[in-house]
């Protein structure tokens, strides 16, 4: 005769949350109601369960009542589930035998009526207890990690990530789409607001950006970094710890195995020809800020003088136009601010003023934005140097005689200005780089509203982020310093993962009942993480061979899309099985 399964012993702990929860709910009523629920053996109030004293109390509560399932009535599990679960583990319980009820955000905060809030909390506790009765202890699945990294993008962020990972002992494949490393940074003549030489190692002054920015030669000569220029990622399979990447290189396709991935593909400048009224591509003396940088680099090779493209004459009047393509809601540009344009335009204007003290220099702006330390001093110095700031939009840049005329509003005076000028510099905004859509598909990282790869929450560890980090301008406009810091932080976190040599894949994941699986592959097609494949299986009962679904533990995100689609009910997410969900629903009455 089969022995009866012992009933679970459920304990319910209600956190007062410094009066936040106890003030908005009738805890006396809740305790009495919870104690009447099946399998509940103890219900008590606690102080702050997220604090050290609260966890000590929880441990004592579990041991004193010989509890093997715990229901926590507290605040959001997103913030405190791991903290509270550690208390369970410390007294020998499995962390997956706990259910949290968010009484604070879902009852107290949205409902001013205490009685109604308590009524709702009672229902939520009933459902949680019903679920807790059938929770199964789960264990994570160990998986090896390949000690190699794929870095996509060879700009400053990508180079920094590659160097840091290589220094930590990882093999690094640095894949750059163009024929050279350095990205946009290495096209600059000067960095602002520090106003020192670009980070190519030739500057004799101390410059924070220069010191912090990786050097191309260091990357090229590092023995653990393989640089693949004019190359791209074509296909990606596998999961955290064991990604298989198919790369297209000039010499053919190669396949590499890597444990983690850094995406540092940067951004591109918005094409100024989308704004024909500003004359770019029509008048040769209308240039972008990056083209002005190239002119400055060329000038250094001769007498250092900046000359306008049309006739080689030194410009006496120069007009900068801000927000070309950025903060644009007309559909021709992008609605976001590109962050660095104001800082850089002011820097370029100051540099031109030093070279051409007699020149009149205007900066036309909507409003100035410089989210960097030192920007205010940078701006004030420009005004003291005589650079004129004009607030208002530019309507048109047109040819007039031997020069150009900038037609612009001046909001401060209410006048319409017509400024004769010799050179116009457009501060164009940034948008997602070419190929971002394809990368989004390959890496299964969604795009944000501006079209950049959506950043993972940095508070999540690299296990939750599947060992993929998006750094620098691939996640949106950034300055050099912040792109480099992004890369360093990502490399440190990923390096820790690689050094461990093994990861623990999430215990809550999809699992397949192979005896029920029909091999229809609907789950494989639906899985957003690409975690499901098929494998052959011999059906001894029927004497045939067939294919069944197989889940990669490291890759599964436990979203449940497969479980809802499976026509045979052969696949389910652990501890979120249909029977468990139905128990919760039925407990609601």
């Amino acid at each position: 005769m089969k022995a009866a399964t012992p009933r679970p012993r459920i304990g319910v702990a209600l956190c007062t949350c410094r009066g936040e929860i106890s003030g908005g709910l009738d805890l006396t009523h809740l305790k009495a109601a919870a104690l009447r629920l099946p399998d509940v053996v103890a219900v008590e109030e606690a102080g702050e369960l997220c604090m050290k004293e609260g966890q000590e109390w929880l441990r004592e509560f579990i041991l004193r009542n010989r509890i093997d399932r715990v229901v926590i009535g507290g605040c959001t599990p997103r913030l405190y589930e791991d903290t509270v679960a550690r208390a369970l583990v410390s007294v020998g319980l499995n962390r997956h035998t706990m259910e949290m009820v968010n009484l604070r955000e879902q009852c107290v905060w949205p409902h001013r009526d205490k009685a109604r809030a308590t009524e709702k909390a009672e229902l939520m506790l009933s459902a949680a207890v019903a679920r807790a009765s059938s929770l199964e202890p789960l264990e994570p699945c160990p998986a090896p990690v390949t000690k190699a990294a794929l870095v996509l993008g060879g700009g400053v962020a990508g180079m920094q990530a590659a160097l840091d990972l290589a220094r930590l002992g990882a093999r690094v494949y640095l894949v750059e789409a163009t024929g050279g490393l350095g990205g946009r940074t290495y096209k600059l003549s000067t960095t602002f607001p520090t106003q020192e030489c670009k980070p190519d190692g030739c500057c004799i002054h101390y410059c924070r950006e220069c010191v912090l920015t990786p050097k191309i030669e260091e990357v090229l000569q590092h023995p653990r970094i393989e640089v693949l220029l004019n190359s791209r990622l074509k296909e990606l399979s596998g999961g955290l710890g064991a990604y298989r990447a198919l790369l297209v290189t000039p010499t053919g396709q190669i396949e590499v195995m890597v444990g983690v991935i850094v995406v540092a593909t940067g951004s591109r400048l918005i094409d100024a020809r989308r704004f024909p009224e500003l004359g770019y591509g029509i008048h040769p003396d209308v240039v972008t800020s990056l083209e002005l940088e190239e002119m400055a680099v060329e000038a250094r090779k001769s007498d250092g003088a900046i000359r306008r493209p049309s006739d080689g004459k030194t410009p006496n009047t120069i007009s900068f136009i801000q927000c070309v393509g950025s903060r644009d809601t007309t559909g021709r540009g992008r609605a976001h601010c590109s962050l660095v344009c104001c800082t850089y335009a002011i820097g370029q204007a100051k540099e031109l003023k030093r070279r051409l003290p007699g020149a009149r220099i205007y900066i036309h702006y909507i409003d100035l934005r410089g989210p960097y330390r030192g920007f205010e001093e940078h701006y004030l110095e420009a005004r003291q140097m005589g650079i004129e700031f004009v607030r208002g939009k530019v309507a048109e840049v047109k040819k007039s005689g031997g020069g150009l005329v900038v037609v612009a509003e001046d909001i401060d005076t209410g006048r319409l200005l017509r400024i004769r000028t010799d050179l116009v510099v457009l501060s164009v905004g940034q948008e997602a780089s070419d190929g971002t859509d394809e990368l989004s598909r390959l890496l299964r990282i969604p795009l944000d509203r501006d079209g950049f790869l959506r950043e993972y929450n940095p508070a999540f560890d690299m296990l939750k982020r599947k060992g993929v980090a998006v750094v620098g301008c691939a996640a949106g406009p950034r300055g050099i310093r912040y792109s480099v810091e992004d890369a360093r932080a990502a490399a440190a976190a990923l390096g820790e993962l690689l050094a461990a040599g093994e990861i623990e894949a999430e215990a809550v994941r999809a699992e397949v009942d192979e005896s029920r699986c029909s091999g229809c592959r609907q789950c494989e097609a639906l899985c957003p993480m690409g975690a499901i494949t098929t494998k052959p299986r011999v059906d001894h009962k029927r004497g045939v061979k067939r294919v069944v679904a197989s889940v990669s533990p490291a890759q599964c995100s436990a979203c449940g899309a497969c479980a809802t689609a499976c026509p045979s009910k052969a696949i389910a997410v652990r501890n979120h099985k249909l029977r468990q969900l139905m128990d919760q629903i039925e407990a609601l009455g």
Side-chain angles (χ1 to χ4, degrees), residues 466 506 508-510 527-529 531 551-560 573:
K466 300 297 179 189
E506 286 284 346
V508 178
R509 60 178 182 273
C527 179
M529 303 304 294
V551 179
S552 166
Q555 211 167 344
C556 177
S557 65
C559 68
V573 177

Side-chain angles (χ1 to χ4, degrees), residues 9 11 41-44 60-68:
R9 293 179 60 83
V41 297
V43 184
E44 293 185 21
E60 189 273 333
F61 173 67
I62 293 169
L63 293 173
R64 173 164 43 87
N65 294 288
R66 293 180 289 115
I67 289 166
D68 57 15

Side-chain angles (χ1 to χ4, degrees), residues 159-285:
M159 289 196 299
Q160 187 65 59
L163 272 176
D164 286 359
L165 286 165
R167 287 167 183 155
L168 291 171
R171 175 75 178 165
V172 178
Y173 300 94
L174 177 54
V175 178
E176 166 58 37
T178 70
L181 298 178
R184 200 159 49 240
T185 299
Y186 274 75
K187 294 178 181 176
L188 306 180
S189 66
T190 310
T191 58
F192 301 107
T194 51
Q195 217 155 355
E196 295 291 354
C197 183
K198 67 173 182 173
D200 59 1
C202 65
C203 177
I204 61 173
H205 303 290
Y206 178 82
C207 167
R208 186 168 180 182
E209 269 86 355
C210 291
V211 172
L212 289 178
T213 307
K215 310 294 186 293
I216 289 176
E217 277 307 314
E218 194 177 352
V219 174
L220 290 172
Q221 295 179 27
H222 199 291
R224 279 191 289 274
I225 300 178
E226 183 174 345
V227 177
L228 300 164
L229 300 176
N230 296 308
S231 302
R232 64 181 176 85
L233 174 66
K234 182 180 180 183
E235 292 177 9
L236 186 72
S237 58
L240 170 58
Y243 286 106
R244 187 184 302 275
L246 181 62
L247 307 174
V248 178
T249 74
T251 56
Q253 296 186 3
I254 62 171
E255 188 176 275
V256 298
M257 288 295 297
V258 296
V260 297
I261 299 173
V262 177
V263 184
T265 45
S267 62
R268 70 180 177 196
L269 296 180
I270 292 171
D271 187 351
R273 282 171 290 200
R274 298 180 197 170
F275 305 87
E277 67 274 19
L278 300 181
Y280 183 76
I282 301 171
H283 309 305
D285 295 330

Side-chain angles (χ1 to χ4, degrees), residues 113-433:
D113 186 324
K114 190 171 182 176
R116 297 287 302 277
T118 302
E119 185 181 342
K120 179 178 176 183
E122 184 179 340
L123 283 173
M124 291 171 67
L125 282 174
S126 298
V129 168
R131 175 172 155 74
S133 296
S134 57
L135 286 177
E136 300 168 3
L138 304 177
E139 296 298 336
C141 174
V145 175
T146 305
K147 198 169 184 179
L150 176 67
V151 178
L152 300 172
V156 289
M159 289 196 299
Q160 187 65 59
L163 272 176
D164 286 359
L165 286 165
R167 287 167 183 155
L168 291 171
R171 175 75 178 165
V172 178
Y173 300 94
L174 177 54
V175 178
E176 166 58 37
T178 70
L181 298 178
R184 200 159 49 240
T185 299
Y186 274 75
K187 294 178 181 176
L188 306 180
S189 66
T190 310
T191 58
F192 301 107
T194 51
Q195 217 155 355
E196 295 291 354
C197 183
K198 67 173 182 173
D200 59 1
C202 65
C203 177
I204 61 173
H205 303 290
Y206 178 82
C207 167
R208 186 168 180 182
E209 269 86 355
C210 291
V211 172
L212 289 178
T213 307
K215 310 294 186 293
I216 289 176
E217 277 307 314
E218 194 177 352
V219 174
L220 290 172
Q221 295 179 27
H222 199 291
R224 279 191 289 274
I225 300 178
E226 183 174 345
V227 177
L228 300 164
L229 300 176
N230 296 308
S231 302
R232 64 181 176 85
L233 174 66
K234 182 180 180 183
E235 292 177 9
L236 186 72
S237 58
L240 170 58
Y243 286 106
R244 187 184 302 275
L246 181 62
L247 307 174
V248 178
T249 74
T251 56
Q253 296 186 3
I254 62 171
E255 188 176 275
V256 298
M257 288 295 297
V258 296
V260 297
I261 299 173
V262 177
V263 184
T265 45
S267 62
R268 70 180 177 196
L269 296 180
I270 292 171
D271 187 351
R273 282 171 290 200
R274 298 180 197 170
F275 305 87
E277 67 274 19
L278 300 181
Y280 183 76
I282 301 171
H283 309 305
D285 295 330
V286 179
V287 300
T288 66
S289 52
L290 191 58
E291 289 168 342
L292 180 63
E293 285 297 299
E294 293 167 352
M295 291 163 61
V297 171
E298 285 301 310
R300 283 180 181 172
K301 298 175 183 175
S302 55
D303 58 359
I306 297 291
R307 293 182 173 82
R308 65 180 189 176
S310 63
D311 55 11
K313 291 182 179 177
T314 301
N316 293 316
T317 305
I318 303 165
S319 296
F320 285 82
I321 300 176
Q322 301 304 105
C323 295
V324 177
S326 56
R327 303 177 64 201
D328 181 280
T329 55
T330 65
R332 296 185 295 172
R334 300 288 178 175
H336 62 264
C337 172
S338 289
L339 297 180
V340 299
C341 314
C342 289
T343 304
Y344 214 86
I346 293 172
Q348 287 183 319
K350 286 163 65 176
E351 186 62 22
L352 288 172
K353 193 69 177 175
R354 290 190 186 97
R355 296 187 187 200
L356 306 168
R360 295 196 69 173
I361 299 179
Y362 299 89
I363 294 182
H364 298 270
Y365 70 99
I366 303 171
D367 58 57
L368 294 173
R369 296 182 178 184
Y372 299 106
R373 182 169 54 82
F375 177 79
E376 191 64 19
E377 295 87 343
H378 187 50
Y379 161 71
L380 291 175
E381 186 184 17
R383 291 191 71 96
Q384 291 165 0
M385 291 173 70
I387 294 166
E388 300 177 51
F389 289 81
V390 182
R391 189 161 66 97
K393 289 188 175 179
V394 171
E396 185 181 12
V397 176
K398 58 184 182 181
K399 187 78 175 172
S400 176
L404 301 167
V405 171
V406 175
V407 182
E409 63 178 341
D410 183 344
I411 290 177
D412 294 332
T413 64
R415 295 166 53 206
L416 182 66
L417 305 178
R418 298 177 185 277
I419 300 174
R420 293 190 63 82
T421 190
D422 301 315
L423 182 67
V424 171
V425 182
L426 305 180
S427 293
V428 292
Q430 299 174 47
E431 61 186 359
S433 61

Side-chain angles (χ1 to χ4, degrees), residues 510-513 523 532 549 551 562-564 566 568-573:
E511 62 182 2
V512 179
D513 180 348
C523 54
I532 301 177
V551 179
C562 53
T564 57
C566 180
S568 308
K569 305 302 178 194
I571 190 165
V573 177

